[in-house]
Amino acid sequence: MPTFLVAILIFSDNYEVGQQITFLAEDIVKSKNAGQITGSRTSNDFLYSLLEREIPEIFEQVIEVKAIARDPGRRSKIAVYSTNENIDPIGACVGSRGSRINKVTAELQDEKIDICIYDDNSQQFIINSLSPVKVISITTNDGGKEADVVVPDEQLSLAIGKGGSAAKLVAKLTKWKLNIMSYSEALTNQIEILWNGNLTSEELTALQVKLKDKIKGKYLTNTSVPTVEMTVNLPVEEFEIIEEQMAEETMILNEEDIKLMIYRKLRQKC
């Protein structure tokens, strides 16, 4: 009796005839003349089955996977937890030099997998889920499961992700609606800063100084850097060539620094 496979694949999957395919069987139907197996490579359960296969602590339930959120083929987030104080849940999942999680990633066509620690406290869980982004302040409305999250200006794009992808994954993982905003935006809108995240005011200042020095070193280190006056009369249209990434990086710099960066960028293109 012939058996047919109907599988929901990851968008980047590309299989040839005779090639082995790994999937999660979700339904099996048998009839007199044929059988049909319906499988998936995009479901959360499929990712969980791979984690069980590669990570003994998950298979043995020493580590519990509390939540999974996926953008199949692109990125996933998983929240893990263990009652055993002698076990580092994230380290155990990653493995030595990434040996364990890399096998899972390879099976998923290089889908990136972020791992965070689950917490029963909703605010702490949201903070953990946003890692490596630091959280300055978080306010939650338990009734509507909605949270206002304030992050450093220079990490806003990382928290949101391309097309909002990163924020959507965190929202799916935590099951909370998140309003993520920059520190500057929060101050402009007179939103109270509670400093109840994982970044203090002193650490925020240090982060801004460190990033500012890094940016200036990247764009302004040249023995023949022009003076600010040399950039004043540049045509407006030439200022528009600044790349989006560069524009984001300049948020914490002053006007003179930005003009110097623009001039240097223009000179590199000549």
Side-chain angles (χ1 to χ4, degrees), residues 43 46 67 102 123 131 147 177 191 199 223:
S43 68
F46 177 61
N102 285 345
Q123 288 190 358
S131 180
K177 180 181 178 181
I191 293 175
L199 189 70
T223 55

Side-chain angles (χ1 to χ4, degrees), residues 206-226:
L207 177 65
Q208 291 174 331
V209 170
K210 181 179 179 180
L211 184 65
K212 181 174 180 178
D213 290 342
K214 180 180 178 181
I215 295 171
K216 292 178 74 172
K218 179 179 179 181
Y219 291 107
L220 303 180
T221 52
N222 192 290
T223 55
S224 57
V225 172

Side-chain angles (χ1 to χ4, degrees), residues 136 150-154 156 181-191 193 204 208 251-252:
I136 295 171
V150 180
V151 302
D153 289 32
E154 51 275 14
L156 179 63
M181 68 194 79
S182 68
Y183 181 60
S184 296
E185 183 182 354
L187 294 179
T188 300
N189 294 328
Q190 297 183 335
I191 293 175
I193 305 297
L204 175 61
Q208 291 174 331
M251 286 190 294
I252 62 171

Side-chain angles (χ1 to χ4, degrees), residues 25 48 50 55 69 86 96 101 117 120 130 142 147-148 153 169-170 182 185 192 203 218 233 246 255 257 263 268:
Y48 180 79
L50 294 177
I55 304 167
N86 297 320
S96 177
I101 203 66
I117 298 294
D120 286 329
L130 282 165
D142 291 333
D148 292 331
D153 289 32
L169 273 181
V170 174
S182 68
E185 183 182 354
E192 183 181 5
E203 290 171 334
K218 179 179 179 181
N233 296 321
M246 184 176 172
E255 185 177 357
D257 286 334
Y263 187 92
Q268 288 175 351

Side-chain angles (χ1 to χ4, degrees), residues 48 57-58 61-67 79-83 89 118:
Y48 180 79
E57 291 86 349
I58 291 180
Q61 298 184 344
V62 177
I63 294 176
E64 184 178 356
V65 178
K66 287 285 193 177
V80 296
Y81 179 79
S82 178
T83 57
Y118 173 81

Side-chain angles (χ1 to χ4, degrees), residues 212 215-216 219-220 226 228 231 234 239 242 246-266:
K212 181 174 180 178
I215 295 171
K216 292 178 74 172
Y219 291 107
L220 303 180
V228 175
T231 70
L234 285 175
F239 280 80
I242 302 300
M246 184 176 172
E248 291 177 356
E249 288 178 335
T250 64
M251 286 190 294
I252 62 171
L253 299 182
N254 59 41
E255 185 177 357
E256 290 190 358
D257 286 334
I258 294 173
K259 287 180 179 179
L260 289 173
M261 290 167 65
I262 292 172
Y263 187 92
R264 178 145 171 71
K265 195 73 174 178
L266 287 170

Side-chain angles (χ1 to χ4, degrees), residues 64-67 78-82 89-90 115-122 124-126 128-129 173-174:
E64 184 178 356
V65 178
K66 287 285 193 177
I78 65 173
V80 296
Y81 179 79
S82 178
I90 294 179
I115 308 171
C116 70
I117 298 294
Y118 173 81
D119 200 294
D120 286 329
N121 181 287
S122 298
Q124 188 59 51
F125 185 28
I126 293 171
N128 294 349
S129 301
L173 188 74
T174 61

